[in-house]
């Protein structure tokens, strides 16, 4: 092994160790994140945890001025807003780690012809933000290739 490769490997290993410590610290901080959203003229307040799960709901005294459908729709919107906010906070926590990772030498820079492993990681598909009964739910559009049509009741009983 040549001296340059040894230095690069030592830098990469030190960087990896730093990344692991940083990831553990970020995970701990992330687990404590929350976000709160107020909607409907402050009649509805929701708080979500770091995973975007609803952990608290509060209603103003005049909540019954709204219909049940309005309350339901606005709770959904508030939870989605709070979840977006907590996700943004989590991304902000990760930024220093991502910047440090990007400054480390890549395997493809150290070994001629080696793949850039970061480019091989598949990106997650965003989850729908509409109800499964909604026409906008993936697979519900008539021209959607994932839409296999209604299932046969007869076939289900076979």
């Amino acid at each position: 092994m040549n001296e340059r490769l040894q230095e690069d490997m030592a830098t990469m290993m030190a960087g990896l160790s730093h990344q692991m410590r940083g990831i553990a610290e970020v995970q701990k901080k992330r687990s404590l994140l929350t976000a709160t959203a107020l909607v409907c003229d402050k009649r509805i307040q929701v708080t979500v945890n770091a995973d975007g799960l609803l952990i608290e709901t509060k209603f103003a005294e005049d909540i019954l001025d709204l219909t049940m459908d309005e309350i339901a729709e606005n709770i959904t919107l508030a939870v989605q807003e709070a979840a977006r906010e907590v996700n943004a906070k989590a991304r902000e926590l990760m930024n220093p780690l991502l910047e440090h990772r990007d400054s480390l030498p890549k395997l493809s820079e150290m070994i001629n012809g080696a793949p850039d492993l970061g480019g091989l990681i598949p990106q997650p598909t965003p989850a729908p933000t509409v109800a499964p009964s909604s026409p906008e739910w993936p697979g519900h559009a008539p021209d959607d290739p994932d839409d296999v049509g209604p299932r046969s009741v007869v076939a289900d009983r076979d």
Side-chain angles (χ1 to χ4, degrees), residues 6-19 100 104-107 110:
Q6 286 178 333
E7 288 174 12
D8 285 348
M9 287 299 285
T11 300
M12 192 169 87
M13 293 306 292
L16 181 60
S17 177
H18 178 267
Q19 280 289 101
H100 182 262
L104 296 174
K106 297 184 179 19
L107 185 60
M110 294 187 303

Side-chain angles (χ1 to χ4, degrees), residues 16-154:
L16 181 60
S17 177
H18 178 267
Q19 280 289 101
M20 291 302 150
R21 285 190 308 275
I23 288 170
E25 184 179 322
V26 166
Q27 285 176 335
K28 184 177 180 179
K29 287 179 181 178
R30 183 202 162 274
S31 72
L32 300 175
L33 290 176
T34 62
T36 300
L38 286 163
V39 297
C40 222
D41 295 324
K42 299 184 181 181
R43 290 181 179 151
I44 299 171
Q45 176 182 315
V46 300
T47 301
V48 299
N49 67 11
D51 294 326
L53 296 174
L54 181 63
I55 58 173
E56 185 176 51
T57 304
K58 293 182 181 180
F59 297 125
E61 289 183 21
D62 60 347
I63 190 69
L64 296 177
D65 292 348
L66 302 172
T67 67
M68 291 297 174
D69 286 343
E70 289 172 322
I71 293 170
E73 180 181 338
N74 281 286
I75 288 174
T76 300
L77 293 173
V79 170
Q80 290 176 353
E81 180 182 320
R84 279 190 297 274
E85 182 182 330
V86 84
N87 282 333
K89 288 178 179 180
R91 279 191 307 276
E92 191 175 309
L93 273 177
M94 283 295 295
N95 279 340
L97 286 177
L98 296 174
E99 289 170 3
H100 182 262
R101 180 198 66 191
D102 292 342
S103 72
L104 296 174
K106 297 184 179 19
L107 185 60
S108 58
E109 294 170 354
M110 294 187 303
I111 302 172
N112 194 17
D116 179 11
L117 300 178
L120 299 176
I121 300 171
Q123 296 302 308
T125 303
T129 57
V130 296
S133 59
S134 169
E136 289 87 30
W137 186 263
H140 284 192
D143 58 347
D144 192 329
D146 294 333
D147 189 5
V148 293
R151 293 184 52 136
S152 166
V153 175
V154 175

